[in-house]
């Protein structure tokens, strides 16, 4: 029987162990998609304790606790920190096979030097030790990023955001970069209740009136140019499905007028607006050589009662099952025909689409960049042992995994960086299996460099950080 989560965790072959040691273990991290707060990085406060640092805002943990029947008081309510921590510890013992179990213990090991398994019996001891270490220092956002060997963090910022904290951070002498990433979802969701408030915010930020589709484009151009000046290298978009519905200029102006007047729009009208704005944004992204991330397939805010109580991003999203292939193909083709298809990373939430996206890549590759169209790492409900293996196996079968841009945390937690280690161990085991089975030569030097590239170098080059 193997020891619990020792130095060879997930590495079962001699080749896998060698690849991890030589190509992954000490390779830095480029976290090119996350939801960390630039304000928190700038203010750099020591957290009050392990519950604020670990359980605050982590909807992965909240969902598991709800599945245990834990009262909301101990999740997002007013229970004491120890009560909340103990409730999570109790839940974790039953979450056998859940990636939370591995992430939790990797974080305890890497940041707190705690190798005792967390459960209801050990909760108080571990709670006290974590808080003792936090109070001793080394757990501010900047210290955690730096100690995790992170070279750059790309946050996720609304198009109307002033980026004031990014401007302040640029003046700091940091050992890592903090860059904005452009997230214009509120601009695209014309039928949503957030659209009118967003227009108001955008008018204030851009100091211009936005009263037409043409003026939306003008405002977005201003913001993309400003984000670029601030070092932005990527945009990010979330869709249940990628829209494709062509429309004339007159139609788009009419649709915008309906939206701004709070008239009900049909799905087709909203998709026409989204399609046209996305096509224009692609032109802008391409002109600045940004990478465009497209996340496909989340069905959000399913529990309307809890959404009304807690708001978005609190653990009530799940996997959607919309059709993906046709509209995605037509959209990519529409901008590719104009020569303005930017570097694009496609993420799917529904694993049924692994081979849909994996095969879509090859349709639009070009010499503009190695792996110009990327298959994004296993995302959200898929960033577990099986999901990561299946995503990488699909990429191996359909594309060129050696140019893969690798893992992202997609997290709001400053303790989430061991997820990169988790990914790297799975990658090394997968490659090691091929060697051990005689399916790939035992060229450890080459494969170690390939692991290093997937872990860091490919993304660093892809997003223009060199």
């Amino acid at each position: 029987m193997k020891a619990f989560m020792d130095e060879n965790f997930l590495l079962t072959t001699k080749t896998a162990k060698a690849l991890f040691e030589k190509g992954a273990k000490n390779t830095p991290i480029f976290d090119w998609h996350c939801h960390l707060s630039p304000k928190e990085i700038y203010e750099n406060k020591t957290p009050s304790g392990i519950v604020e640092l670990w359980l605050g805002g982590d909807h992965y943990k909240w969902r598991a606790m709800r599945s245990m029947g834990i009262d909301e008081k101990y999740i997002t309510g007013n229970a004491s920190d120890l009560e909340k921590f103990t409730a999570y510890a109790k839940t974790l013992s039953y979450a056998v096979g859940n990636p939370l179990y591995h992430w939790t213990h990797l974080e305890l090991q890497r940041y707190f030097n705690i190798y005792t398994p967390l459960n209801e019996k050990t909760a108080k001891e571990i709670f006290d030790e974590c808080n003792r270490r936090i109070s001793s220092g080394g757990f501010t956002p900047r210290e955690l990023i730096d100690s995790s060997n992170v070279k750059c963090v790309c946050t996720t910022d609304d198009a109307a955001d002033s980026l004031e904290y990014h401007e302040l951070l640029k003046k700091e002498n940091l050992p890592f970069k903090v860059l904005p990433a452009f997230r214009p979802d509120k601009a695209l969701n014309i039928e949503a209740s957030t659209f009118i408030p967003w227009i108001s915010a955008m008018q204030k930020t851009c100091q211009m009136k936005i009263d037409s589709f043409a003026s939306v484009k003008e405002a977005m151009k201003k913001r993309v140019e400003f984000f670029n000046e601030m070092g932005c290298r990527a945009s990010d978009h979330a869709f249940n499905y990628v829209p494709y519905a062509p429309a004339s200029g007159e139609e788009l102006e009419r649709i915008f007028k309906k939206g701004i007047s709070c008239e009900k729009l049909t799905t087709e009208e909203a998709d026409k607006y989204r399609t046209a704005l996305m096509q224009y944004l692609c032109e802008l992204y391409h002109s600045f050589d940004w990478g465009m991330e497209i996340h496909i397939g989340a069905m959000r805010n399913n529990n309307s009662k809890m959404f009304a109580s807690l708001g978005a991003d609190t653990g009530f999203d799940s996997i959607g099952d919309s059709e993906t292939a046709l509209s995605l193909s037509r959209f990519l083709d529409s901008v590719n025909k104009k020569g303005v298809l930017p570097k694009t990373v496609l993420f799917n939430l529904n694993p049924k689409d692994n081979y849909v996206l994996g095969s879509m890549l090859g349709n639009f590759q070009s010499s503009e960049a190695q792996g110009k169209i990327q298959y994004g790492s296993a995302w959200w409900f898929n960033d577990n042992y099986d999901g990561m293996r299946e995503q990488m196996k699909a990429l191996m079968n359909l594309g060129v995994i050696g140019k893969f841009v690798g893992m992202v945390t997609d997290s709001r937690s400053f303790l989430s960086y061991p997820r990169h280690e988790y990914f790297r161990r799975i990658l090394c085991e997968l490659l090691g299996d091929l060697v051990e089975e005689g399916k790939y030569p035992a060229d450890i030097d080459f494969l170690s460099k390939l692991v290093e590239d997937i872990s860091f170098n490919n993304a660093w080059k892809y997003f223009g950080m060199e």
Side-chain angles (χ1 to χ4, degrees), residues 359-410:
S359 63
M360 189 67 69
L361 312 178
N363 296 331
F364 300 102
Q365 303 288 15
S366 83
S367 59
E368 288 181 298
Q370 293 181 332
K372 176 182 174 179
I373 314 300
Q374 288 278 335
Y375 183 20
S377 58
W379 168 45
W380 199 345
F381 293 107
N382 298 310
D383 57 1
N384 50 60
Y385 180 81
D386 292 324
M388 289 184 188
R389 286 179 64 92
E390 291 307 311
Q391 184 270 342
M392 285 190 276
K393 284 164 62 177
L395 181 53
M396 284 178 174
N397 282 327
L398 298 168
V400 180
I401 196 169
K403 295 303 174 183
F404 179 30
V405 291
M407 181 63 174
V408 292
T409 60
D410 191 28

Short mmCIF file of all heavy atoms in Angstrom, two decimals, residues 359-410:
data_model
loop_
_atom_site.label_atom_id
_atom_site.label_comp_id
_atom_site.label_asym_id
_atom_site.label_seq_id
_atom_site.Cartn_x
_atom_site.Cartn_y
_atom_site.Cartn_z
N SER A 359 -11.32 18.60 -31.92
CA SER A 359 -11.23 18.53 -33.38
C SER A 359 -11.40 19.89 -34.04
O SER A 359 -10.92 20.13 -35.15
CB SER A 359 -12.28 17.55 -33.93
OG SER A 359 -13.59 18.01 -33.64
N MET A 360 -12.09 20.83 -33.35
CA MET A 360 -12.31 22.17 -33.92
C MET A 360 -10.99 22.91 -34.10
O MET A 360 -10.83 23.73 -35.01
CB MET A 360 -13.23 22.98 -33.00
CG MET A 360 -13.70 24.30 -33.58
SD MET A 360 -14.81 24.12 -35.01
CE MET A 360 -16.27 23.43 -34.21
N LEU A 361 -10.02 22.62 -33.24
CA LEU A 361 -8.74 23.33 -33.28
C LEU A 361 -8.10 23.29 -34.65
O LEU A 361 -7.61 24.29 -35.17
CB LEU A 361 -7.74 22.72 -32.27
CG LEU A 361 -8.18 22.46 -30.84
CD1 LEU A 361 -7.04 21.82 -30.06
CD2 LEU A 361 -8.65 23.73 -30.17
N GLY A 362 -8.08 22.09 -35.21
CA GLY A 362 -7.36 21.88 -36.47
C GLY A 362 -7.95 22.61 -37.65
O GLY A 362 -7.28 22.77 -38.68
N ASN A 363 -9.19 23.08 -37.52
CA ASN A 363 -9.83 23.78 -38.63
C ASN A 363 -9.26 25.18 -38.87
O ASN A 363 -9.35 25.70 -39.98
CB ASN A 363 -11.33 23.91 -38.37
CG ASN A 363 -12.04 22.58 -38.30
OD1 ASN A 363 -11.63 21.62 -38.92
ND2 ASN A 363 -13.12 22.53 -37.53
N PHE A 364 -8.69 25.78 -37.82
CA PHE A 364 -8.34 27.19 -37.92
C PHE A 364 -6.92 27.51 -37.46
O PHE A 364 -6.61 28.65 -37.13
CB PHE A 364 -9.35 28.02 -37.10
CG PHE A 364 -10.76 27.87 -37.58
CD1 PHE A 364 -11.67 27.06 -36.90
CD2 PHE A 364 -11.19 28.52 -38.73
CE1 PHE A 364 -12.96 26.91 -37.35
CE2 PHE A 364 -12.49 28.37 -39.19
CZ PHE A 364 -13.38 27.56 -38.51
N GLN A 365 -6.05 26.52 -37.44
CA GLN A 365 -4.65 26.78 -37.09
C GLN A 365 -3.97 27.57 -38.21
O GLN A 365 -4.41 27.55 -39.36
CB GLN A 365 -3.89 25.47 -36.86
CG GLN A 365 -4.47 24.57 -35.79
CD GLN A 365 -4.27 25.11 -34.38
OE1 GLN A 365 -3.94 26.28 -34.17
NE2 GLN A 365 -4.50 24.26 -33.39
N SER A 366 -2.89 28.28 -37.86
CA SER A 366 -2.12 28.99 -38.87
C SER A 366 -0.71 29.21 -38.35
O SER A 366 -0.41 28.94 -37.18
CB SER A 366 -2.77 30.35 -39.21
OG SER A 366 -2.39 31.33 -38.25
N SER A 367 0.15 29.73 -39.20
CA SER A 367 1.54 29.97 -38.82
C SER A 367 1.71 31.23 -37.97
O SER A 367 2.83 31.57 -37.59
CB SER A 367 2.42 30.07 -40.08
OG SER A 367 1.97 31.13 -40.92
N GLU A 368 0.61 31.93 -37.66
CA GLU A 368 0.70 33.11 -36.81
C GLU A 368 1.23 32.77 -35.43
O GLU A 368 1.86 33.60 -34.78
CB GLU A 368 -0.67 33.78 -36.67
CG GLU A 368 -1.16 34.49 -37.91
CD GLU A 368 -2.51 35.14 -37.68
OE1 GLU A 368 -3.48 34.41 -37.39
OE2 GLU A 368 -2.59 36.37 -37.76
N ALA A 369 0.95 31.56 -34.97
CA ALA A 369 1.41 31.13 -33.66
C ALA A 369 1.39 29.62 -33.60
O ALA A 369 0.55 28.98 -34.23
CB ALA A 369 0.52 31.70 -32.56
N GLN A 370 2.32 29.05 -32.84
CA GLN A 370 2.30 27.61 -32.61
C GLN A 370 1.10 27.30 -31.73
O GLN A 370 0.94 27.87 -30.65
CB GLN A 370 3.59 27.16 -31.95
CG GLN A 370 4.81 27.30 -32.84
CD GLN A 370 6.07 26.82 -32.16
OE1 GLN A 370 6.19 26.84 -30.94
NE2 GLN A 370 7.04 26.38 -32.96
N GLY A 371 0.25 26.40 -32.21
CA GLY A 371 -0.97 26.11 -31.47
C GLY A 371 -1.85 27.33 -31.34
O GLY A 371 -2.36 27.65 -30.27
N LYS A 372 -2.07 28.04 -32.44
CA LYS A 372 -2.85 29.28 -32.40
C LYS A 372 -4.22 29.06 -31.76
O LYS A 372 -4.68 29.86 -30.94
CB LYS A 372 -3.03 29.85 -33.81
CG LYS A 372 -3.91 31.09 -33.85
CD LYS A 372 -4.12 31.62 -35.26
CE LYS A 372 -5.12 32.76 -35.26
NZ LYS A 372 -5.34 33.34 -36.59
N ILE A 373 -4.90 27.98 -32.14
CA ILE A 373 -6.17 27.65 -31.53
C ILE A 373 -5.91 26.53 -30.51
O ILE A 373 -5.45 25.45 -30.87
CB ILE A 373 -7.22 27.19 -32.56
CG1 ILE A 373 -7.23 28.15 -33.76
CG2 ILE A 373 -8.60 27.10 -31.92
CD1 ILE A 373 -7.57 29.59 -33.42
N GLN A 374 -6.15 26.83 -29.24
CA GLN A 374 -5.81 25.94 -28.14
C GLN A 374 -7.05 25.27 -27.56
O GLN A 374 -8.15 25.85 -27.56
CB GLN A 374 -5.13 26.75 -27.03
CG GLN A 374 -3.72 27.20 -27.34
CD GLN A 374 -2.71 26.11 -27.07
OE1 GLN A 374 -2.92 25.20 -26.26
NE2 GLN A 374 -1.57 26.20 -27.76
N TYR A 375 -6.84 24.07 -27.05
CA TYR A 375 -7.88 23.40 -26.27
C TYR A 375 -7.56 23.64 -24.80
O TYR A 375 -6.61 23.09 -24.27
CB TYR A 375 -7.91 21.91 -26.61
CG TYR A 375 -9.01 21.12 -25.92
CD1 TYR A 375 -10.13 21.76 -25.39
CD2 TYR A 375 -8.93 19.74 -25.80
CE1 TYR A 375 -11.13 21.05 -24.76
CE2 TYR A 375 -9.94 19.02 -25.18
CZ TYR A 375 -11.03 19.68 -24.65
OH TYR A 375 -12.02 18.97 -24.03
N GLY A 376 -8.35 24.47 -24.14
CA GLY A 376 -8.09 24.86 -22.76
C GLY A 376 -8.15 23.69 -21.80
O GLY A 376 -8.85 22.70 -22.01
N SER A 377 -7.40 23.81 -20.73
CA SER A 377 -7.31 22.75 -19.73
C SER A 377 -8.68 22.41 -19.15
O SER A 377 -9.62 23.20 -19.21
CB SER A 377 -6.36 23.16 -18.60
OG SER A 377 -6.79 24.36 -17.99
N ALA A 378 -8.77 21.21 -18.56
CA ALA A 378 -10.04 20.76 -17.97
C ALA A 378 -10.53 21.79 -16.97
O ALA A 378 -9.83 22.16 -16.04
CB ALA A 378 -9.82 19.40 -17.29
N TRP A 379 -11.77 22.24 -17.15
CA TRP A 379 -12.25 23.45 -16.50
C TRP A 379 -13.36 23.14 -15.50
O TRP A 379 -14.27 22.37 -15.78
CB TRP A 379 -12.74 24.41 -17.60
CG TRP A 379 -13.53 25.59 -17.18
CD1 TRP A 379 -13.25 26.44 -16.14
CD2 TRP A 379 -14.74 26.08 -17.78
NE1 TRP A 379 -14.21 27.43 -16.06
CE2 TRP A 379 -15.13 27.24 -17.06
CE3 TRP A 379 -15.51 25.68 -18.87
CZ2 TRP A 379 -16.27 27.98 -17.38
CZ3 TRP A 379 -16.64 26.41 -19.20
CH2 TRP A 379 -17.02 27.55 -18.46
N TRP A 380 -13.24 23.74 -14.30
CA TRP A 380 -14.29 23.79 -13.30
C TRP A 380 -14.71 22.40 -12.83
O TRP A 380 -14.04 21.80 -12.00
CB TRP A 380 -15.46 24.59 -13.85
CG TRP A 380 -16.44 25.12 -12.85
CD1 TRP A 380 -16.58 24.75 -11.54
CD2 TRP A 380 -17.42 26.12 -13.10
NE1 TRP A 380 -17.59 25.47 -10.97
CE2 TRP A 380 -18.14 26.32 -11.89
CE3 TRP A 380 -17.78 26.86 -14.22
CZ2 TRP A 380 -19.18 27.23 -11.77
CZ3 TRP A 380 -18.82 27.78 -14.11
CH2 TRP A 380 -19.51 27.96 -12.90
N PHE A 381 -15.83 21.88 -13.33
CA PHE A 381 -16.29 20.57 -12.90
C PHE A 381 -15.44 19.44 -13.50
O PHE A 381 -15.63 18.27 -13.16
CB PHE A 381 -17.76 20.37 -13.30
CG PHE A 381 -18.70 21.28 -12.55
CD1 PHE A 381 -19.29 22.35 -13.18
CD2 PHE A 381 -18.98 21.06 -11.21
CE1 PHE A 381 -20.15 23.20 -12.50
CE2 PHE A 381 -19.83 21.90 -10.51
CZ PHE A 381 -20.42 22.97 -11.16
N ASN A 382 -14.51 19.79 -14.36
CA ASN A 382 -13.64 18.79 -14.99
C ASN A 382 -12.21 18.83 -14.46
O ASN A 382 -11.39 18.00 -14.85
CB ASN A 382 -13.59 19.01 -16.51
CG ASN A 382 -14.96 18.85 -17.15
OD1 ASN A 382 -15.64 17.87 -16.92
ND2 ASN A 382 -15.37 19.84 -17.93
N ASP A 383 -11.87 19.80 -13.58
CA ASP A 383 -10.47 19.89 -13.15
C ASP A 383 -10.20 18.93 -11.99
O ASP A 383 -9.81 19.30 -10.90
CB ASP A 383 -10.07 21.33 -12.81
CG ASP A 383 -10.93 21.97 -11.75
OD1 ASP A 383 -11.86 21.31 -11.23
OD2 ASP A 383 -10.67 23.15 -11.41
N ASN A 384 -10.42 17.67 -12.30
CA ASN A 384 -10.18 16.57 -11.37
C ASN A 384 -9.31 15.53 -12.08
O ASN A 384 -8.96 15.70 -13.26
CB ASN A 384 -11.51 15.95 -10.92
CG ASN A 384 -12.42 15.63 -12.09
OD1 ASN A 384 -12.08 14.86 -12.98
ND2 ASN A 384 -13.60 16.26 -12.14
N TYR A 385 -8.96 14.48 -11.40
CA TYR A 385 -8.04 13.48 -11.96
C TYR A 385 -8.54 12.92 -13.29
O TYR A 385 -7.82 12.93 -14.30
CB TYR A 385 -7.83 12.34 -10.96
CG TYR A 385 -6.89 11.26 -11.44
CD1 TYR A 385 -5.51 11.43 -11.34
CD2 TYR A 385 -7.37 10.08 -12.00
CE1 TYR A 385 -4.63 10.44 -11.79
CE2 TYR A 385 -6.52 9.10 -12.44
CZ TYR A 385 -5.14 9.28 -12.35
OH TYR A 385 -4.28 8.31 -12.80
N ASP A 386 -9.78 12.47 -13.32
CA ASP A 386 -10.32 11.88 -14.55
C ASP A 386 -10.53 12.94 -15.62
O ASP A 386 -10.23 12.72 -16.80
CB ASP A 386 -11.65 11.17 -14.26
CG ASP A 386 -11.47 9.93 -13.42
OD1 ASP A 386 -10.45 9.23 -13.58
OD2 ASP A 386 -12.35 9.65 -12.58
N GLY A 387 -11.05 14.12 -15.23
CA GLY A 387 -11.31 15.16 -16.20
C GLY A 387 -10.05 15.67 -16.88
O GLY A 387 -10.03 15.90 -18.10
N MET A 388 -8.97 15.85 -16.10
CA MET A 388 -7.72 16.31 -16.68
C MET A 388 -7.13 15.26 -17.62
O MET A 388 -6.63 15.59 -18.71
CB MET A 388 -6.72 16.64 -15.57
CG MET A 388 -7.06 17.88 -14.78
SD MET A 388 -5.76 18.25 -13.57
CE MET A 388 -6.54 19.57 -12.65
N ARG A 389 -7.17 14.03 -17.22
CA ARG A 389 -6.65 12.96 -18.09
C ARG A 389 -7.44 12.89 -19.39
O ARG A 389 -6.86 12.75 -20.48
CB ARG A 389 -6.69 11.61 -17.36
CG ARG A 389 -5.61 11.46 -16.30
CD ARG A 389 -5.71 10.11 -15.60
NE ARG A 389 -5.47 9.00 -16.50
CZ ARG A 389 -4.27 8.44 -16.69
NH1 ARG A 389 -3.20 8.92 -16.07
NH2 ARG A 389 -4.14 7.42 -17.51
N GLU A 390 -8.77 12.98 -19.29
CA GLU A 390 -9.60 12.87 -20.50
C GLU A 390 -9.38 14.07 -21.43
O GLU A 390 -9.35 13.90 -22.65
CB GLU A 390 -11.07 12.74 -20.12
CG GLU A 390 -11.42 11.41 -19.45
CD GLU A 390 -10.98 10.21 -20.27
OE1 GLU A 390 -11.27 10.17 -21.49
OE2 GLU A 390 -10.34 9.30 -19.70
N GLN A 391 -9.24 15.26 -20.87
CA GLN A 391 -8.97 16.43 -21.71
C GLN A 391 -7.64 16.28 -22.42
O GLN A 391 -7.53 16.55 -23.64
CB GLN A 391 -8.99 17.71 -20.85
CG GLN A 391 -8.82 19.00 -21.65
CD GLN A 391 -7.36 19.43 -21.82
OE1 GLN A 391 -6.47 18.97 -21.10
NE2 GLN A 391 -7.11 20.31 -22.78
N MET A 392 -6.61 15.86 -21.70
CA MET A 392 -5.29 15.73 -22.32
C MET A 392 -5.25 14.56 -23.30
O MET A 392 -4.59 14.63 -24.34
CB MET A 392 -4.21 15.60 -21.25
CG MET A 392 -3.90 16.93 -20.57
SD MET A 392 -2.45 16.90 -19.49
CE MET A 392 -3.16 16.24 -17.98
N LYS A 393 -5.96 13.49 -23.01
CA LYS A 393 -6.01 12.37 -23.95
C LYS A 393 -6.71 12.78 -25.25
O LYS A 393 -6.29 12.40 -26.34
CB LYS A 393 -6.71 11.17 -23.30
CG LYS A 393 -5.83 10.44 -22.29
CD LYS A 393 -6.62 9.53 -21.39
CE LYS A 393 -7.32 8.42 -22.12
NZ LYS A 393 -8.04 7.51 -21.18
N ALA A 394 -7.77 13.57 -25.13
CA ALA A 394 -8.45 14.07 -26.34
C ALA A 394 -7.49 14.94 -27.15
O ALA A 394 -7.43 14.83 -28.39
CB ALA A 394 -9.69 14.87 -25.96
N LEU A 395 -6.73 15.80 -26.47
CA LEU A 395 -5.78 16.65 -27.18
C LEU A 395 -4.67 15.82 -27.81
O LEU A 395 -4.26 16.09 -28.95
CB LEU A 395 -5.19 17.69 -26.21
CG LEU A 395 -4.19 18.68 -26.79
CD1 LEU A 395 -4.76 19.40 -28.01
CD2 LEU A 395 -3.77 19.69 -25.74
N MET A 396 -4.20 14.80 -27.12
CA MET A 396 -3.18 13.91 -27.69
C MET A 396 -3.71 13.23 -28.95
O MET A 396 -3.02 13.14 -29.97
CB MET A 396 -2.78 12.84 -26.68
CG MET A 396 -1.88 13.31 -25.57
SD MET A 396 -1.54 11.93 -24.42
CE MET A 396 -0.33 12.70 -23.35
N ASN A 397 -4.93 12.76 -28.89
CA ASN A 397 -5.50 12.02 -30.01
C ASN A 397 -5.80 12.90 -31.21
O ASN A 397 -5.75 12.44 -32.36
CB ASN A 397 -6.80 11.33 -29.57
CG ASN A 397 -6.55 10.07 -28.76
OD1 ASN A 397 -5.57 9.37 -28.98
ND2 ASN A 397 -7.43 9.80 -27.81
N LEU A 398 -6.08 14.18 -30.96
CA LEU A 398 -6.58 15.03 -32.04
C LEU A 398 -5.65 16.17 -32.43
O LEU A 398 -5.84 16.78 -33.48
CB LEU A 398 -7.93 15.63 -31.63
CG LEU A 398 -9.06 14.63 -31.36
CD1 LEU A 398 -10.23 15.32 -30.69
CD2 LEU A 398 -9.51 13.95 -32.65
N GLY A 399 -4.67 16.48 -31.59
CA GLY A 399 -3.84 17.66 -31.85
C GLY A 399 -2.38 17.43 -31.52
O GLY A 399 -1.86 16.32 -31.67
N VAL A 400 -1.72 18.47 -31.06
CA VAL A 400 -0.29 18.43 -30.74
C VAL A 400 -0.13 18.89 -29.29
O VAL A 400 -0.04 20.09 -29.01
CB VAL A 400 0.53 19.33 -31.69
CG1 VAL A 400 2.01 19.28 -31.35
CG2 VAL A 400 0.31 18.89 -33.14
N ILE A 401 -0.09 17.95 -28.37
CA ILE A 401 -0.09 18.30 -26.95
C ILE A 401 1.19 19.02 -26.54
O ILE A 401 1.20 19.78 -25.57
CB ILE A 401 -0.32 17.06 -26.06
CG1 ILE A 401 -0.71 17.53 -24.65
CG2 ILE A 401 0.92 16.16 -26.06
CD1 ILE A 401 -1.22 16.45 -23.75
N GLY A 402 2.26 18.86 -27.30
CA GLY A 402 3.51 19.52 -26.95
C GLY A 402 3.45 21.03 -27.00
O GLY A 402 4.31 21.71 -26.43
N LYS A 403 2.41 21.60 -27.64
CA LYS A 403 2.24 23.05 -27.69
C LYS A 403 1.08 23.53 -26.82
O LYS A 403 0.67 24.68 -26.89
CB LYS A 403 2.04 23.51 -29.14
CG LYS A 403 3.27 23.27 -30.02
CD LYS A 403 4.50 23.98 -29.43
CE LYS A 403 5.77 23.66 -30.18
NZ LYS A 403 6.95 24.31 -29.54
N PHE A 404 0.57 22.65 -25.99
CA PHE A 404 -0.52 22.94 -25.06
C PHE A 404 -0.09 24.02 -24.06
O PHE A 404 1.02 23.98 -23.53
CB PHE A 404 -0.87 21.64 -24.34
CG PHE A 404 -1.95 21.68 -23.32
CD1 PHE A 404 -3.01 22.57 -23.41
CD2 PHE A 404 -1.93 20.78 -22.26
CE1 PHE A 404 -4.02 22.58 -22.45
CE2 PHE A 404 -2.93 20.77 -21.31
CZ PHE A 404 -3.98 21.67 -21.39
N VAL A 405 -1.00 24.99 -23.78
CA VAL A 405 -0.65 26.09 -22.86
C VAL A 405 -0.99 25.78 -21.41
O VAL A 405 -0.84 26.63 -20.54
CB VAL A 405 -1.33 27.41 -23.29
CG1 VAL A 405 -0.70 27.93 -24.58
CG2 VAL A 405 -2.84 27.26 -23.43
N GLY A 406 -1.42 24.57 -21.13
CA GLY A 406 -1.45 24.08 -19.77
C GLY A 406 -2.53 24.61 -18.85
O GLY A 406 -3.57 25.09 -19.26
N MET A 407 -2.22 24.55 -17.56
CA MET A 407 -3.17 24.72 -16.48
C MET A 407 -3.39 26.17 -16.08
O MET A 407 -2.49 27.01 -16.20
CB MET A 407 -2.65 23.92 -15.26
CG MET A 407 -3.52 23.94 -14.03
SD MET A 407 -5.12 23.18 -14.34
CE MET A 407 -5.81 23.18 -12.69
N VAL A 408 -4.59 26.45 -15.58
CA VAL A 408 -4.91 27.73 -14.93
C VAL A 408 -5.61 27.41 -13.60
O VAL A 408 -6.23 26.36 -13.46
CB VAL A 408 -5.82 28.61 -15.79
CG1 VAL A 408 -5.10 29.09 -17.03
CG2 VAL A 408 -7.11 27.89 -16.18
N THR A 409 -5.54 28.32 -12.64
CA THR A 409 -6.24 28.05 -11.38
C THR A 409 -7.73 28.33 -11.49
O THR A 409 -8.54 27.66 -10.86
CB THR A 409 -5.68 28.91 -10.22
OG1 THR A 409 -5.85 30.28 -10.52
CG2 THR A 409 -4.23 28.60 -9.96
N ASP A 410 -8.13 29.37 -12.27
CA ASP A 410 -9.53 29.78 -12.37
C ASP A 410 -10.12 29.96 -10.98
O ASP A 410 -11.26 29.58 -10.72
CB ASP A 410 -10.32 28.73 -13.16
CG ASP A 410 -11.73 29.21 -13.53
OD1 ASP A 410 -11.91 30.44 -13.67
OD2 ASP A 410 -12.63 28.36 -13.65
#
